[in-house]
Amino acid sequence: MAKPEVDAFIEAFPEHTREMLQNVRKAIHNAAPDAEEYIGYMMPAYKFHGALVYFSGYKNHIGFYPGAAGVAYFKDEIAKYKTAKGSIQFPLDEPVPVDLIGRIVAFRVRENLEKAAAKSKKTK
């Protein structure tokens, strides 16, 4: 379900950036339809058995934040992008790699489910 505060966040950007942000949002929803959407750290965020991913728009790029494990696992596929420990920058002058984003989100979903299962075993 779309959240009005995330809609408002995206609407504040110029048209081209807005379209790219909507593509990122759709890729996340497709890969994690049960994730809860909210604003966290002043940007769109998703949680599913814990924090999942965040994203935002900037002057020259879309920032995508799958955490350190998400960046490390896909390091070869994201080599062409500027990265940091837990973030990836997708330039505004290139199409958003929605397939890649979807695979990263699916990886994070699996990772969170594995962590939740391990935690559940410990408490039994």
Side-chain angles (χ1 to χ4, degrees):
M1 185 170 143
K3 294 285 187 175
E5 55 272 7
V6 174
D7 291 336
F9 178 91
I10 292 172
E11 284 300 314
F13 286 89
E15 183 179 356
H16 177 69
T17 305
R18 205 170 40 237
E19 289 172 7
M20 293 182 76
L21 292 169
Q22 288 290 12
N23 288 338
V24 172
R25 187 184 196 188
K26 185 176 180 181
I28 295 167
H29 281 289
N30 287 343
D34 296 326
E36 180 185 341
E37 182 180 69
Y38 65 103
I39 295 290
Y41 299 107
M42 297 174 30
M43 68 182 92
Y46 297 84
K47 59 184 167 184
F48 182 76
H49 298 280
L52 199 58
V53 296
Y54 299 77
F55 71 94
S56 191
Y58 299 94
K59 183 179 178 182
N60 297 312
H61 69 277
I62 299 296
F64 182 65
Y65 307 91
V71 170
Y73 189 83
F74 289 90
K75 70 178 188 280
D76 292 338
E77 292 183 68
I78 62 173
K80 76 177 218 168
Y81 302 107
K82 185 174 181 182
T83 62
K85 184 177 179 182
S87 65
I88 308 164
Q89 292 183 9
F90 299 119
L92 293 180
D93 61 356
E94 296 178 19
V96 174
V98 292
D99 181 60
L100 175 60
I101 291 169
R103 287 184 284 120
I104 293 170
V105 172
F107 166 81
R108 291 287 296 120
V109 166
R110 287 189 305 273
E111 187 177 47
N112 282 5
L113 286 172
E114 288 169 7
K115 286 179 184 176
K119 186 176 180 181
S120 177
K121 283 183 180 181
K122 284 184 178 180
T123 61
K124 288 184 181 182

